[in-house]
């Protein structure tokens, strides 16, 4: 997205993250709540462009190649369920249906009373989460579980109105069926149908989900306790709504991640937005950027701030303790590695350059190399895309502006992203209204599922939920960080990141991560034991 278009758009932008240094203080709301699925779409598109030869052969290895290769353990059958469009209205049009995709693996299932492990699909193609939710695949043999991954309506192939994304998103009337309550009702209807077809009415269902999927998992346990007997809600920011969380907390936590690694790294990044902004304002500065950052054909130096901001935000979210390929090939603890690159780089050979603008640019480029070119195979930086080739952006943009109005907008004076951004709920809601054409409902989910005094709500209304949060993850600022009862359990790991517990295990996993997964497995076993005892079923 070029600079002129970015300034001209008064509503929320269609790009997830736009460079803060290029926005005037009164330009309106800048960014949607960041999600891994959405960022994955941008990186996946970059990789597929390279495969098609749109980038140079040398750059072909610099995309998300590792992210699209599933584990050999991931094998499944694709099925479709005829789902009702509207579960809550008796009007004739409500009886319309669509095909909802779900993926099944029955390799380990021990029969009619064995558990069903169900993944609550979130904002993206269900295969993305199927390929990256290793905890379910690794726990299934122990429990003899059937594995089911359900795709969220309006994502992937699960499109209402004939299966075409254009029809599903043609206007607010069509998009109006994209809500949390409709999605949860989808899952409830599908589970009951599946159990009936399997002649397994007594099979206990344990729900898993990460991020938005984790929110859905927790909410479904609250809403449909007779269908789901337990939920693993990983990195589920169910408190990230207005009045429940500090709107500056998300980026403050991210800032802490970088500042905690290196004060020098933090100060270089803070300075970089001004340096980039000043350079982009002149032809001489743009030429300097061109010399320092090699951009791929079709991308320009105007893309650099957006690329840097994405790298900073998503490195904090995916600050995993082992190398990963979920979004793009990354080293262990990418925040640490980006700061190391900044600290040892500089305009002089071997680092140690003077503290001037050129020095800042060289250090920033080194940090971007860690995030976008960890393998060393890419010859250039490719700008982020602002179209919606995989049906992720349209859905999340709608949800984030109607009821999933998550508080991630404020930038404090000390933020690693600059300039500061004063949070104003009225501005957020006005931008959303302009963008969608419908009034936002920022308090509806708090009304529907509880939010204020969440401890009291969960104690009185819920059981059998695990809330995992890693404190390196900015989303943990909206998570449940304290156990509520013997069965509403918060697992909090200071070194953890965004739903790291759900990832496939590795020999390189630190002891704390092994212990988290072991605790989750023991808790699930306890739930199942109690369920079989209550139902009089031989385990």
């Amino acid at each position: 997205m070029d600079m002129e278009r970015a300034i001209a758009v008064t509503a929320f932008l269609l790009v997830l993250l736009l460079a803060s240094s290029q926005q005037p203080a009164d330009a309106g709301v800048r960014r949607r709540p960041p999600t891994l699925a959405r960022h994955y779409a941008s990186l996946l598109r970059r990789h597929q462009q390279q495969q098609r030869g749109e980038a140079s052969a040398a750059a072909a290895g610099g995309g998300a190649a590792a992210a699209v290769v599933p584990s050999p353990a991931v094998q499944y059958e694709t099925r479709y369920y005829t789902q009702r469009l509207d579960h809550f209205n008796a009007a004739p049009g409500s009886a319309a249906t669509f095909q909802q995709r779900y993926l099944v693996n029955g390799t380990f299932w021990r029969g009619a009373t064995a558990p069903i492990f169900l993944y609550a699909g979130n904002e993206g193609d269900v295969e993305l989460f199927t390929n990256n939710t290793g905890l379910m695949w690794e726990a299934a043999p122990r429990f003899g579980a059937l594995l089911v991954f359900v795709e969220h309506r309006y994502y992937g192939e699960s499109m209402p109105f004939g299966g075409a994304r254009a029809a599903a998103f043609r206007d607010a009337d069509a998009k109006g069926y994209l809500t949390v309550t409709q999605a949860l009702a989808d899952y409830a209807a599908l589970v009951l149908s599946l159990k009936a077809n399997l002649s397994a009415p007594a099979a206990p269902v344990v729900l898993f989900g990460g991020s938005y999927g984790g929110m859905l998992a927790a909410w479904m346990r609250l809403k449909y306790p007779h269908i789901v007997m337990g939920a693993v809600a990983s990195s589920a920011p169910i408190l990230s709504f207005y009045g429940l969380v500090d709107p500056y907390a998300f980026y403050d936590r991210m800032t802490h991640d970088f500042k905690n690694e290196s004060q020098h790294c933090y100060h270089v990044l803070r300075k970089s937005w001004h340096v980039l902004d000043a350079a982009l304002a002149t032809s001489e500065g743009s030429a300097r950027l061109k010399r320092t950052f090699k951009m791929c054909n079709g991308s320009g130096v105007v893309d650099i701030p957006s690329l840097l901001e994405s790298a900073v935000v998503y490195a904090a979210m995916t600050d995993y303790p082992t190398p990963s390929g979920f979004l793009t090939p990354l080293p262990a603890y990418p925040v640490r590695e980006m700061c190391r690159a900044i600290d040892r780089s500089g305009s002089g050979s071997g680092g140690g350059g003077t503290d001037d603008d050129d020095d800042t640019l060289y250090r920033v480029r080194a940090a971007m190399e860690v995030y976008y070119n960890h393998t060393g195979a890419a010859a250039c930086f490719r700008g982020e895309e602002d179209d919606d080739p995989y049906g992720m952006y349209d859905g999340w943009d709608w949800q984030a502006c109607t009821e999933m109005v998550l508080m991630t907008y404020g930038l404090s004076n000390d933020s690693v992203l600059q300039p500061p951004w004063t949070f104003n709920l009225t501005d957020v809601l006005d931008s959303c209204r302009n963008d969608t054409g419908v009034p936002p409902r920022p308090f509806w989910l708090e009304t529907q599922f509880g939010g204020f005094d969440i401890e009291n709500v969960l104690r009185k209304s819920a059981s059998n939920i695990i809330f995992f949060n890693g404190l390196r993850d900015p989303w943990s600022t909206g998570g449940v960080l304290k156990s509520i009862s013997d069965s509403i359990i918060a697992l909090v790991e200071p070194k953890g990141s965004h739903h790291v517990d759900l990832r496939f295990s590795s020999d390189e996993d630190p002891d704390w991560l092994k212990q988290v997964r072991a605790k989750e497995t023991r808790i699930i076993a306890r739930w199942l034991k109690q369920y079989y005892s209550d139902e009089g079923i031989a385990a």
Side-chain angles (χ1 to χ4, degrees):
M1 179 180 288
D2 58 22
M3 182 62 181
E4 290 76 13
R5 182 182 175 194
I7 295 177
V9 175
T10 58
F12 271 89
L13 301 179
L14 293 179
V15 180
L16 171 64
L17 293 168
L18 187 68
S20 60
S21 60
Q22 297 183 54
Q23 286 253 41
D26 59 350
V29 180
R30 308 179 318 133
R31 52 168 67 78
R32 307 285 182 159
T35 73
L36 297 189
R38 180 167 179 157
H39 190 51
Y40 177 90
S42 177
L43 292 170
L44 180 58
R45 188 180 194 278
R46 181 183 299 135
H47 172 60
Q48 292 183 339
Q49 285 179 331
Q50 291 167 339
Q51 286 186 318
R52 292 196 301 266
E54 294 179 19
S56 67
V68 298
V69 179
S71 164
V74 176
Q75 303 289 331
Y76 51 79
E77 175 187 348
T78 301
R79 299 180 186 176
Y80 296 88
Y81 175 68
T82 301
Q83 188 63 262
R84 185 181 175 95
L85 176 64
D86 186 352
H87 296 281
F88 306 108
N89 195 318
S94 300
T97 61
F98 68 96
Q99 295 302 298
Q100 184 170 28
R101 182 169 56 153
Y102 66 105
L103 312 178
V104 179
N105 181 294
T107 303
F108 314 109
W109 198 43
R110 294 180 191 148
T113 60
I116 297 173
F117 286 176
L118 186 81
Y119 188 87
N122 32 327
E123 73 293 1
D125 189 303
V126 70
E127 290 182 312
L128 170 61
F129 310 106
T130 306
N131 292 334
N132 288 282
T133 310
L135 179 66
M136 290 176 63
W137 291 95
E138 293 174 354
R142 169 179 173 175
F143 293 103
L146 178 71
L147 294 173
V148 182
F149 298 81
V150 187
E151 190 163 69
H152 196 297
R153 58 168 55 201
Y154 287 81
Y155 293 99
E157 296 182 12
S158 299
M159 292 290 163
F161 302 103
R165 185 162 64 93
F169 290 99
R170 68 180 181 271
D171 54 32
D173 286 334
K175 291 183 283 189
Y177 298 99
L178 174 51
T179 68
V180 167
T181 51
Q182 295 282 8
L184 294 182
D186 287 345
Y187 299 158
L190 190 151
V191 167
L192 292 179
S193 175
L194 178 66
K195 292 175 70 173
N197 290 336
L198 293 172
S199 299
V205 178
V206 179
L207 198 60
F208 295 76
S211 196
Y212 171 49
M215 301 168 82
L216 295 174
W219 288 334
M220 188 165 182
R221 174 60 184 161
L222 284 167
K223 186 69 174 177
Y224 297 100
H226 55 294
I227 295 176
V228 176
M229 58 79 64
V232 178
S234 179
S235 299
I238 63 171
L239 302 179
S240 286
F241 296 96
Y242 186 75
L244 304 182
V245 69
D246 179 354
Y248 297 89
F250 182 93
Y251 290 106
D252 282 351
R253 179 60 55 85
M254 185 187 73
T255 295
H256 176 268
D257 289 346
F258 282 89
K259 186 185 291 187
N260 192 54
E261 289 295 341
S262 164
Q263 286 283 336
H264 176 253
C265 170
Y266 160 71
H267 287 298
V268 168
L269 287 171
R270 272 177 56 86
K271 179 183 177 182
S272 68
W273 311 110
H274 169 73
V275 173
L276 289 168
D277 189 37
L280 287 168
T282 67
S283 57
E284 294 82 0
S286 295
R288 187 167 74 250
L289 292 178
K290 188 174 182 180
R291 290 193 301 270
T292 306
F293 299 84
K294 185 173 183 181
M295 303 301 294
C296 299
N297 292 336
S299 300
V301 293
V302 70
D303 296 312
I304 295 171
S306 180
L307 286 171
L308 175 60
E309 186 171 345
S310 288
V312 169
V313 172
Y314 287 101
M317 287 176 64
T318 60
D319 201 25
Y320 298 137
T322 57
S324 67
F326 180 38
L327 294 181
T328 188
L330 290 174
Y333 293 122
V335 169
R336 178 189 64 193
E337 295 307 312
M338 287 174 68
C339 279
R340 285 179 175 176
I342 286 174
D343 290 345
R344 66 172 174 255
S345 300
S347 56
S349 60
T354 58
D355 189 19
D356 57 14
D357 289 355
D358 282 338
D359 185 71
T360 297
L361 294 177
Y362 276 96
R363 293 181 189 277
V364 163
R365 186 192 68 180
M368 289 172 58
E369 289 280 356
V370 171
Y371 189 82
Y372 293 106
N373 191 24
H374 174 56
T375 64
C380 55
F381 291 112
R382 176 173 293 282
E384 296 191 312
E385 305 296 336
D386 63 349
D387 59 352
D388 188 15
Y390 303 104
M392 296 181 186
Y393 297 9
D394 283 345
W396 186 244
D397 286 349
W398 171 265
Q399 290 190 266
C401 259
T402 51
E403 59 183 10
M404 292 293 295
V405 187
L406 301 172
M407 296 294 101
T408 62
Y409 300 105
L411 290 178
S412 65
N413 289 333
D414 294 332
S415 175
V416 71
L417 304 183
Q418 290 292 305
W421 193 276
T422 301
F423 172 76
N424 185 303
L425 181 62
T426 300
D427 289 345
V428 172
L429 300 185
D430 286 348
S431 291
C432 280
R433 190 191 304 268
N434 291 336
D435 194 27
T436 65
V438 301
R441 304 179 74 191
F443 305 107
W444 170 241
L445 293 178
E446 295 165 281
T447 302
Q448 179 78 1
F449 302 109
F452 295 100
D453 194 13
I454 192 65
E455 181 176 350
N456 194 41
V457 170
L458 291 175
R459 181 183 293 111
K460 291 182 176 180
S461 306
S463 62
N464 293 1
I465 303 176
I466 298 170
F467 290 102
F468 169 80
N469 280 282
L471 297 186
R472 289 181 184 265
D473 178 17
W475 283 116
S476 66
T477 55
V480 175
L481 303 180
K482 184 174 73 172
S483 293
I484 307 300
S485 67
D486 290 342
S487 66
I488 305 289
I489 300 170
L491 300 179
V492 180
E493 175 47 56
K495 298 179 181 179
S497 47
H498 204 52
H499 52 68
V500 63
D501 58 320
L502 297 185
R503 298 183 66 221
F504 278 96
S505 62
S506 163
D507 292 339
E508 302 173 30
D509 287 339
D511 287 341
W512 62 260
L513 181 53
K514 295 176 183 177
Q515 292 169 9
V516 166
R517 293 186 180 126
K519 288 177 183 177
E520 291 174 335
T521 304
R522 287 197 300 270
I523 293 167
I524 293 169
R526 189 172 75 228
W527 292 346
L528 291 170
K529 182 179 179 180
Q530 186 64 51
Y531 172 85
Y532 290 130
S533 175
D534 292 345
E535 299 296 321
I537 299 172

